[in-house]
Structures are given as C-alpha cells and as structure tokens.
Amino acid sequence: AQSVTQPDIHITVSEGASLELRCNYSYGATPYLFWYVQSPGQGLQLLLKYFSGDTLVQGIKGFEAEFKRSQSSFNLRKPSVHWSDAAEYFCAVGLNNNDMRFGAGTRLTVKP
Amino acid sequence: DAGITQSPRHKVTETGTPVTLRCHQTENHRYMYWYRQDPGHGLRLIHYSYGVKDTDKGEVSDGYSVSRSKTEDFLLTLESATSSQTSVYFCAISETGGSSNQPQHFGDGTRLSIL
C-alpha cells in the first residue's frame, strides 16, 4: 500500500547533539517531498521541500534533508539541536493530484 | 506567515448536532484544504477546494461536507456529529495544487470535542 512512514514515534536528544529523523515512502514515482514542524497548539510550518535536482536540500532553522531514491527515504537532519527545536515533525508526500499524504509524525524532546 | 484564520479555535458539542468550522484566508490563494489530525495518523485530507464552488473529496470525507462561496472562505460542516469526529481540524491554503512547488500553509487548528 502507498504510505509515508516515520519509524520513530518519539526521539529524545541532548541539546547540542546531532539529530536525524527518518522518513520512508512507498509511492511508485519520485514524489514531491516535504518536512513540516508543529509546535504545541499551532499549525504546521514548512521546513524544507524536495522536487528535483540536488538531493541534499537546505531548509529553515538549520535543518537539511537528503533524498535517497534507492532507499525511498527523505531523512531530516540537524547538526546541533537547540532546545527550541522540541516539537513534532511530519514528513509529507505531494501526490500527482491535489492530495498530500503525511506520516504519523515524530515527537522530538530536547534534554538540557 | 500566511493569513489564515480558523474559527472557532475550540468547540465542544454533543453527538447528533450539526457543526460548522470556518477557514478564512487573506492570501487570495486558489486552493484550500481541510485536514483532521489524530494521534498515530498524522494529518489526513477531508476535502479540498480548487476554486469558488469547486470542491472534491479527500482521503476521509465520509460524514463531512464543504462549501466555498467566496475565494477567502472555506467551510467544513459535520451534518450530524459523531464521537469519532472528535479531532483537531486544520485548514491549509496553497497557490497551486499539492503536487506543485507551492507547499501548503496551515492555520492554527480547531480543537473539536464531540461528547
């Protein structure tokens, strides 16, 4: 079945440590790929997007993501996490219609 | 930030009552979307609109209807609310459709509880 999978429901990292959030998709063609962040009580904010070209994309707040076609993955990374990065992160796939499918989300906790 | 206002922000109602949620945008974007967010499911598309009076169903449309009489307003109606429709509802807008290079911008959500 077509899906977007975020294998980690909850991740805890120490402030200053590196971060990688995983995302895998199972759509046939290379889809349009997005990462969003959601702070408590708020809507989603776009971090970055991939459509084509360079497989390493840079986003806001120091985040980057790498598209790996062979692994059907689009993992989000940050070299040094700040306490303000604590939030929920969603990977999303834009389909070839007016639809966007989201993963279930990964909640990030940052330890002082 | 994109100008998206959802109202109400919170609502508690009883099973069987009708409920209407409103999304208002000031960006003049063509596309508007309604999602619901539930734990373990991420966001799921309920309905979307690609212009005034033009709407289509999403992944989880059963039990919901929508209307768009003006570019700036997109209404979501639960004709007879059920407890399974307790959720957080998000409106989103985009200049073009979801497969384009115009990602969706989201409102702050409406928390709906149906008792």
Side-chain angles (χ1 to χ4, degrees), chain A residues 3 5 11 50 55 70:
Chain A
S3 66
T5 302
I11 284 182
Y50 172 78
T55 57
S70 61

Side-chain angles (χ1 to χ4, degrees), chain B residues 46-68:
Chain B
I46 304 171
H47 282 280
Y48 67 92
S49 169
Y50 48 97
V52 174
K53 299 192 188 316
D54 293 323
T55 65
D56 206 348
K57 296 179 180 180
E59 184 185 1
V60 291
S61 61
D62 287 349
Y64 301 95
S65 62
V66 290
S67 64
R68 193 168 177 200

Side-chain angles (χ1 to χ4, degrees), chain A residues 32 34 36 38 41-44 46 49 51 90 94-104, chain B residues 9 31 33 35 37 40-43 45 48 59 90 97-101 103-104 106-108:
Chain A
Y32 301 88
F34 305 84
Y36 287 86
Q38 183 182 32
Q42 301 202 347
L44 279 68
L46 178 70
K49 59 189 179 185
F51 298 128
F90 292 93
L95 305 179
N96 288 325
N97 52 28
N98 294 298
D99 197 359
M100 185 173 286
R101 296 299 170 95
F102 288 81
Chain B
R9 292 295 314 278
Y31 287 80
Y33 307 78
Y35 290 89
Q37 182 178 31
H41 290 279
L43 276 76
L45 181 66
Y48 67 92
E59 184 185 1
F90 285 95
S99 62
S100 78
N101 62 354
Q104 298 168 15
F106 289 81
D108 287 337

